[in-house]
Amino acid sequence: MRYEPIKKHGIADMKVKPNLLDYERARREMSWESMAKELEWFDDGHINIAYEAIDRHIKTPVRDRVALIWEGKDGKTERYTFHDLYRLTNRFANVLKRLGIEKGERVFTYMDRIPEIYIAILGTLKAGAVTGPLFSAFGSDAVRDRLADSGARVLVTTPRLVKTVDAVVDSLPALERIIIVNREGVPYELKHREVSYEALMEEASDEFEIVKTDKEDFAIMHYTSGTTGKPKGAAHVHEAIVGHYATAKYVLDLHPEDIYWCTADPGWVTGTSYGIFGPWSNGITQVVYEGGFSASHWYRVIEKHGVTVWYTAPTAIRMLMKAGEKVAQKYNLKTLRYMCSVGEPLNPEAVLWGQKVFGIPFHDNWWQTETGCIQIANYPVQDIKPGSMGRPFIGVTATILDEDLATELPPNREGHLALKVRWPSMFRTYWNKKDLYESRFKGEWYITGDRAKRDEDGYFWFVGRADDVINTAGHLVGPFEVESALIEHPAVAEAGVIGIPDPIANEVIKAFVSLKDGYEPSEELKMDIKRFAREKLHAVACPREIEFLPGLPKTRSGKIMRRLLKARELGLPEGDTSTLEE
Ligand code: ATP
Ligand code: MG
């Protein structure tokens, strides 16, 4: 390890006493069963995510707490209490009932981050239907693929976005109704199968008897990010709320007085598990910013709303680093007390940058669409080893398996990251892909598709996706290690590393690099970066070739698409690019 651990000095000097005070003890004494008991079940087998997120607070003083502080692209702010959301989600559930939607049917949303998306998702769950949020920047093909695969009966969208749907609606026989949300009241004439959200909501009652779903009833469908191939529809059940709730409490460390901001869009699993269900099942106020990324806008959101806990992603952090700390210094960011990151490996440099600029480090955690909630994490009470994903959550058993997926490897050996089956928020299938789903399990283990190692203290270190690992001169090299070294170079903003075929070494390493503002590509700079890499890395891990790109191809959820860098490099078909950010 090239970085010193960031020491935590006990809870005495922490601003807020963490919910998780003693990791080892919690692992011994707590379990998914004990955490499930912190929620309100209808009976042993029945629970509804929306009831936990909203309804159960209505009987407590949390009822009048602000649940959602929404800031629109134009800076307009709206506030919704838990009681407001209770009434509105009841109304939406009544709307679906009136449209004849039944338990288990799919109701998808395709909207920007406007308040109605939250109302629609939770109202859908109340009605016992399955929610499927689509990212608003998807094009027609991406929308059609997902609606066709899921057989969605209802889509909730807006006058602007419905145009994308119009192009493909004829190939979606299951799609009976399109609910149009027209919050700005633009002139709009409803077409065949379209109904008005505002009109239906106006007529709907505030009272709704929530469907008492079984813990194994399907609740949420999320298509994966498409980083390694065609996105798969991971289906989750109502029991998943146990995972959302417990990890939001013990990993994100949410407390009643927090103002929490998750920057992910509900079109991706982080944006629902931790942008809706986790915080609200804990009764926490959260901020939603409709606008996209901009360093100054983001800092202003933190300052204006007094954000205390912030959950974001490596790609955003790298962009903040690229913008430079001077931008951060213009804002009062002192309210921030805790910061977490997910979605990609978090480069050690980024962890330390947090420490330097905000006075607190970013806490990396690892999970997937399939796992439904955080599985491996850094915690407020534990030292951080920069570059490590941290240690398994309470109730989670993670391990490293050998190449045959048969034997658990000892510390410091690289292999396949696997999780012991099962945990409440584990996906229960890939929609219409049962065989693929089953192929992801081996005995008692779920095989994550990522490679990692575990150290003697039980910290896990990400190596790379199994597909991305480079085999060079008899060594396996994870792209993350190389990328992390490259971005330590003052000129480098981002790096994406792949293996390209080589007759002698099998593969050699090529790095694609985008530069920070103020740096120009040149042969000299290339040499300098190579020299720099040689100082930081083992000889086999040094890139043979460097190519400058203005930006790296990424998924819309912000992940570097190494498979695309490779396909382009080798002149191969690009495969599914439905989630590519343009
Ligand atoms: P697809 O499955 O369609 O290829 P995806 O795997 O990117 O897409 P997600 O479920 O959104 O879809 O992402 C989960 C993956 O993201 C993990 O398997 C891992 O590779 C990566 N990831 C998430 N968090 C971390 C982290 N903290 N460190 C390293 N990798 C992470
Ligand atoms: Mg995946």
Side-chain angles (χ1 to χ4, degrees), residues 224 228 232 368 370 465:
T224 58
T228 57
K232 301 143 287 206
Q368 309 176 305
E370 289 86 342
R465 294 169 183 266

Side-chain angles (χ1 to χ4, degrees), residues 224-232 268-269 341-346 364-370 389 448 450 462 465 557 559:
T224 58
S225 290
T227 316
T228 57
K230 195 170 171 63
K232 301 143 287 206
W268 311 107
V269 71
S341 165
V342 73
E344 278 198 301
L346 183 64
D364 187 22
N365 54 63
W366 177 96
W367 58 294
Q368 309 176 305
T369 309
E370 289 86 342
M389 314 188 277
T448 65
D450 288 343
F462 183 80
R465 294 169 183 266
S557 54
K559 295 160 197 268

Side-chain angles (χ1 to χ4, degrees), residues 423-479:
W423 57 97
S425 66
M426 188 180 96
F427 70 140
R428 299 297 200 262
T429 194
Y430 284 131
W431 206 255
N432 292 328
K433 291 190 180 64
K434 196 160 167 276
D435 291 349
L436 181 64
Y437 171 75
E438 280 165 6
S439 74
R440 301 288 300 265
F441 297 88
K442 180 94 194 277
E444 62 186 346
W445 299 106
Y446 162 66
I447 313 300
T448 65
D450 288 343
R451 292 179 69 89
K453 63 186 174 196
R454 170 179 39 190
D455 69 17
E456 49 295 323
D457 300 323
Y459 280 71
F460 282 73
W461 299 75
F462 183 80
V463 172
R465 294 169 183 266
D467 300 352
D468 290 338
V469 169
I470 302 162
N471 188 338
T472 180
H475 294 268
L476 294 180
V477 176

